[in-house]
Amino acid sequence: MGNIRAVLAASVFVSIFVFGCSSKNNTAAIDAPVIPDAPPDAPPDAPPDAPAGDFTCLNATQGNTADDPITIGGVAGTVSTSGLSPLGGVVIDVFKAGVATKVDEVTSADVTGAFTSDNLVTGGVPFAGFVEATTTNARTTFVFPSNPLAASFPTLPVPLVDTATFGTITTTIGVTQDDTTNGAMFVLVTDCAGMPVDKATLTVEQAGKSVGTQFYLGILGKQAIGAYFVFNVPDGDTDVSAKFANMQFATHTVKAFKSNATDITAGSITATNVIPGP
């Protein structure tokens, strides 16, 4: 059990870096929490009886303008007990929501695992899309930001979980993942500053009905607070949200992906985060 705890904790650590800066200000340093700017008419703060944390973005709305063009860059790597181990040769495809054809493709560099997309045309509107990462002997990773990107995102780690590690996870938890019709998800719930929120109620729905089997990683240790695996999420659009204390967090839509014979041969993991508001 100790090894699997370490692997899961490493996965959570990576994901905090993935999503901690996915708010409006996408150009912040990777180790700097971002507190999104709320519009003038946004609610002042969380209710007086709310627990500690930054919930100032609760019920805020995202702006409707963006830089044009933008780029997405970062590091691809495998998740292990030591964190994210950079991996070269990972194919990174960028997709725009609702468009089946990828808008860009880049391969991560050898040794460093670094990648940067070509210019992505936004037309001055926040870019709603996702990244797909594929390599051999690993589950395909799909990364969905919690909000459309209004600026370039140069520090996006893309974690990949090899098939053996995923098998260890499911065996330890006691779940049978059916990739022929379902995908798996990794969700991190944070406050507005990107700090993990403990024991929120995660909602994963399709057409208004709960789907998947949730496992809260926070019970394994403090490093995993705020993180959830969701197994056997049916292929298709999926709405994710959370409730904490008396606060309903923002909802956004991602996709779960079943396996196929081309780019998802070993199954998939859809990674995203849930925050109180944009």
Side-chain angles (χ1 to χ4, degrees):
M1 188 66 173
N3 288 339
I4 192 63
R5 285 174 185 255
V7 170
L8 293 175
S11 178
V12 173
F13 176 80
V14 168
S15 296
I16 290 173
F17 277 76
V18 171
F19 303 117
C21 301
S22 62
S23 55
K24 287 188 246 181
N25 183 3
N26 302 115
T27 58
I30 193 167
D31 58 352
V34 175
I35 303 175
D37 296 324
D41 57 350
D45 286 313
D49 57 347
D54 182 353
F55 302 102
T56 54
C57 63
L58 183 70
N59 297 327
T61 55
Q62 185 178 19
N64 55 11
T65 60
D67 296 341
D68 187 16
I70 66 170
T71 61
I72 300 174
V75 175
T78 54
V79 173
S80 68
T81 55
S82 58
L84 186 69
S85 300
L87 183 64
V90 178
V91 177
I92 311 290
D93 292 325
V94 181
F95 288 85
K96 189 173 183 179
V99 179
T101 305
K102 59 194 171 190
V103 296
D104 190 46
E105 179 178 299
V106 63
T107 301
S108 65
D110 292 337
V111 183
T112 65
F115 69 91
T116 301
S117 73
D118 291 331
N119 287 335
L120 305 174
V121 176
T122 68
V125 177
F127 181 84
F130 61 93
V131 166
E132 176 184 5
T134 55
T135 190
T136 57
N137 301 318
R139 296 180 74 85
T140 302
T141 294
F142 296 89
V143 181
F144 283 79
S146 60
N147 298 296
L149 300 179
S152 292
F153 202 138
T155 53
L156 179 73
V158 176
L160 294 113
V161 179
D162 64 55
T163 52
T165 297
F166 188 81
T168 301
I169 292 171
T170 55
T171 299
T172 302
I173 292 174
V175 173
T176 299
Q177 171 70 24
D178 181 3
D179 291 319
T180 61
T181 56
N182 305 316
M185 294 179 62
F186 181 87
V187 184
L188 184 68
V189 179
T190 74
D191 67 8
C192 301
M195 299 304 294
V197 172
D198 190 21
K199 298 177 182 177
T201 300
L202 177 66
T203 301
V204 180
E205 295 183 336
Q206 293 181 351
K209 296 182 179 181
S210 295
V211 293
T213 300
Q214 296 184 20
F215 182 83
Y216 180 48
L217 300 177
I219 66 173
L220 300 178
K222 292 183 179 179
Q223 303 98 321
I225 284 175
Y228 302 76
F229 263 121
V230 189
F231 302 96
N232 292 312
V233 180
D235 183 83
D237 289 344
T238 307
D239 297 325
V240 293
S241 185
K243 189 171 184 178
F244 183 61
N246 59 344
M247 294 174 287
Q248 178 62 53
F249 285 18
T251 300
H252 67 283
T253 301
V254 300
K255 268 184 89 72
F257 297 86
K258 64 182 179 180
S259 60
N260 60 37
T262 55
D263 60 328
I264 315 178
T265 57
S268 71
I269 294 179
T270 295
T272 193
N273 67 319
V274 173
I275 58 177

